[in-house]
């Protein structure tokens, strides 16, 4: 098959002049925010050995990655994300650096999109931070706040972060006595908030009624501070209690720093429980239907590289942010156009008058070039509300018209 040499592969995009200017401005805004908080930029290699991603807590399915070979026949992968190579740097070339390591990055990553993933890209830009060698709720809260500030710096007007805790979910699974395979299925259904599937699966596995009732509540555990009281009633296990205590400390720190209106709790958020070891979070916007960023605590990854350190971080998808900004601008433009829309000349209230009489009156006004809408409501408050919504210049009551 002959390929037109002006074409590019599927799932990649050329950026033209104006698009490139916008993207570079976003990159600079986010990078400046990272640097201002003491994070130092690194740029790990774009090619890694396949073995780096084939095992351990950061392992990825080989079909998700783009692979090639070096001249020794060794399998290489195009960098699918940044956290794993930065963990490699922290355990090798940065081993002599004073802790904690505050590192940031901004660059291109690659994937082999599934045909089912309509929105996936083969080439995408990630920006993020990794705080390594620092444990505790304060470190977690710092990274969440930086995520929020990064979204603000990007120009988003409607954004927030949802925070969860994977150990709360793990504690409930241990109480229920579920094996690893069933736990993963439950995790998927909880993420989807598919309560019927959760109940059917647990009953099919012989789970106790009390355990079923507790797990069924998970998808509903979202909101503000009140979530903690509801969650505490579900389990007395030490793991669940410790998870809630940790999450409460993070939430309290975020609220004390003025971010209460931008943070919500979601204990039904339980993605990648094999990778994350504590608090997890994702940044969202009403202007976009997918997370703009995600992250959390991952204390096991650096152990795979021979340097066990606690770590927490996040990655932001810049193409997603740009699309959210476009939608935000479209919504603002539509609102502005609606505000500038021509006002209704008259709202004609039919009241108790015959419809035929009101219609003839309306047609006479329309013949003069006026826009007239008939109104059938009777309450004054409703009439006033409709007149305001239509920006009516005049309200005419047919019963009073001469």
């Amino acid at each position: 098959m002959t390929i037109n040499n002006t074409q590019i592969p599927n799932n990649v995009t050329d950026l033209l002049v104006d698009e490139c200017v916008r993207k570079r401005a976003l990159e600079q805004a986010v990078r400046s925010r990272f640097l201002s908080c003491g994070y130092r930029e690194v740029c790990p290699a774009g090619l890694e050995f396949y073995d780096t991603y084939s095992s351990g807590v950061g392992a990825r399915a080989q079909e998700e990655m783009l692979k090639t070979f070096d001249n020794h026949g060794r399998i290489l992968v195009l960098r699918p994300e940044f956290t794993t190579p930065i963990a490699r740097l922290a355990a090798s070339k940065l081993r002599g650096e004073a802790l904690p390591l505050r590192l940031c990055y901004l660059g291109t990553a690659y994937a082999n999109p599934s045909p089912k993933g309509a929105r996936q890209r083969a080439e995408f830009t990630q920006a993020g931070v990794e705080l390594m060698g620092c444990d505790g709720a304060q470190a977690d809260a710092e990274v969440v706040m930086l995520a929020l500030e990064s979204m603000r710096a990007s120009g988003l007007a409607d954004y927030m972060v949802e925070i969860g805790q994977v150990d709360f979910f793990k504690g409930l699974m241990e109480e229920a006595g579920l094996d690893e395979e069933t736990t993963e299925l439950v995790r998927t259904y909880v993420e989807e908030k598919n309560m019927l599937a959760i109940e059917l699966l647990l009953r099919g596995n012989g789970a106790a009624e009390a355990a079923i009732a507790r797990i069924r509540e998970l998808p509903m555990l979202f909101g503000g501070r009140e979530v903690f009281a509801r969650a505490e009633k579900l389990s007395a296990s030490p793991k669940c209690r410790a998870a809630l205590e940790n999450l409460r400390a993070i939430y309290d720190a975020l609220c004390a720093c003025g971010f209460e209106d931008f943070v919500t709790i979601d204990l039904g958020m339980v993605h990648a429980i094999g990778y994350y070891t504590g608090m997890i979070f994702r940044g969202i916007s009403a202007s976009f239907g997918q997370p703009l960023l995600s992250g959390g605590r991952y204390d096991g990854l650096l152990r795979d590289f021979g340097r066990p350190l606690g770590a927490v971080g996040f990655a932001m998808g810049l193409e997603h942010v740009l699309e959210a900004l476009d939608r935000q601008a479209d919504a603002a433009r539509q609102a502005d156009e609606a505000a500038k829309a021509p006002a209704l000349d008259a709202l004609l209230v039919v009241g108790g008058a015959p419809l035929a009489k009101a219609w003839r009156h309306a047609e006479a006004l329309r013949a003069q070039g006026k826009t007239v809408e008939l109104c059938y409501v009777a309450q004054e408050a409703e009439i006033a509300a409709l007149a305001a919504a239509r920006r009516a210049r005049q309200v005419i009551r047919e019963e009073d018209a001469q």
Side-chain angles (χ1 to χ4, degrees):
M1 182 178 66
T2 302
I3 298 178
N4 186 330
N5 63 5
T6 64
Q7 294 179 333
I8 59 176
N10 293 335
N11 303 304
V12 297
T13 305
D14 290 321
L15 288 184
L16 303 184
V17 177
D18 290 345
E19 297 167 317
C20 197
V21 168
R22 288 183 64 233
K23 185 181 178 188
R24 293 292 180 247
L26 173 60
E27 290 174 352
Q28 184 55 36
V30 173
R31 177 186 281 114
S32 296
R33 199 70 188 91
F34 293 167
L35 297 177
S36 73
C37 294
Y39 287 78
R40 298 173 297 156
E41 187 170 5
V42 293
C43 186
L47 280 173
E48 295 273 353
F49 286 116
Y50 169 73
D51 291 348
T52 302
Y53 289 97
S54 64
S55 61
V57 298
R60 304 176 79 89
Q62 65 162 324
E63 60 270 17
E64 295 177 358
M65 298 183 285
L66 291 174
K67 298 179 287 294
T68 185
F69 296 90
D70 66 7
N71 56 8
H72 298 290
R74 293 173 297 188
I75 305 175
L76 308 177
V77 297
L78 287 172
R79 177 178 57 210
E81 47 86 18
F82 281 84
T83 303
T84 298
I86 290 178
R88 174 181 55 75
L89 288 179
S92 56
K93 297 176 181 179
L94 298 177
R95 184 175 282 273
E97 296 273 340
L99 297 178
L101 293 174
R102 282 184 169 85
L103 303 174
C104 65
Y105 58 87
L106 199 160
T108 305
Y110 302 88
N112 187 25
S114 164
K116 298 179 181 179
R119 298 189 62 84
Q120 290 186 354
R121 298 172 180 266
E123 182 182 48
F124 50 96
T125 308
Q126 283 190 335
V129 303
E130 313 295 349
L131 176 50
M132 298 173 164
C134 194
D135 299 322
Q138 289 182 323
D140 291 351
E142 175 188 323
V143 170
V144 173
M145 289 190 287
L146 183 49
L148 284 163
E149 285 296 299
S150 299
M151 288 192 285
R152 182 196 61 77
S154 73
L156 289 167
D158 55 347
Y159 60 90
M160 67 182 306
V161 158
E162 298 174 330
I163 60 174
Q165 233 288 356
V166 296
D167 275 348
F168 184 77
F169 175 79
K170 291 177 182 178
L172 290 182
M173 296 302 103
E174 289 174 6
E175 278 191 308
L178 301 180
D179 60 31
E180 188 174 327
E181 183 178 351
T182 306
T183 294
E184 177 57 24
L185 280 173
V186 173
R187 184 199 67 77
T188 302
Y189 294 146
V190 169
E191 275 277 286
E192 297 171 352
K193 301 195 183 300
N194 189 337
M195 298 170 71
L196 177 59
I198 292 170
E199 183 162 355
L200 291 175
L201 175 64
L202 294 175
R203 289 192 187 284
N205 279 271
E209 286 298 322
I212 294 174
R214 286 194 295 268
I215 297 170
R216 198 169 49 203
E217 287 294 310
L218 262 177
M220 310 308 296
L221 291 176
F222 62 91
R225 188 179 298 277
E226 72 282 355
V227 170
F228 293 116
R230 290 161 51 199
E232 285 171 349
K233 296 177 181 177
L234 292 186
S235 174
S237 83
K239 178 170 281 193
C240 288
R241 288 301 173 97
L244 291 177
E245 186 177 321
N246 168 257
L247 195 62
R248 193 197 305 271
I250 296 167
Y251 184 74
D252 287 344
L254 293 170
C255 293
C257 292
F259 291 94
E260 184 172 5
D261 292 339
F262 298 92
V263 179
T264 188
I265 300 160
D266 186 356
L267 289 172
M269 177 175 58
V270 287
H271 57 268
I273 60 172
Y275 177 82
Y276 290 112
T277 58
M279 183 270 299
I280 55 175
F281 66 96
R282 59 190 171 200
I284 59 175
S285 168
S287 301
F288 196 69
Q290 297 183 55
L292 302 177
L293 61 83
S294 64
R297 177 158 288 278
Y298 55 96
D299 289 346
L301 181 61
L302 277 92
R303 186 179 299 111
D304 290 342
F305 291 92
R307 192 183 186 190
L309 292 175
V312 58
F314 72 84
M316 171 188 283
L318 295 195
E319 285 82 9
H320 283 180
V321 174
L322 286 168
E323 189 169 344
L325 289 169
D326 285 340
R327 295 185 184 184
Q328 179 178 291
D330 287 343
R333 186 161 48 250
Q334 291 170 9
D336 186 55
E337 289 171 357
K340 294 177 181 177
L344 187 69
D345 287 309
L347 184 69
L348 198 156
V349 181
V350 177
L355 177 60
K357 180 173 181 291
W359 181 256
R360 286 193 293 271
H361 187 181
E363 284 293 278
L365 293 172
R366 291 165 185 154
Q368 299 172 25
K370 296 182 178 180
T371 55
V372 182
E373 179 179 334
L374 295 181
C375 172
Y376 302 106
V377 299
Q379 300 295 322
E380 287 299 320
E382 294 176 316
I383 293 170
L386 186 58
R390 299 291 193 267
R391 300 178 62 238
R393 295 190 177 95
Q394 184 181 14
V395 175
I396 301 173
R397 287 168 174 76
E398 181 60 33
E399 291 174 321
D400 299 334
Q402 299 297 321

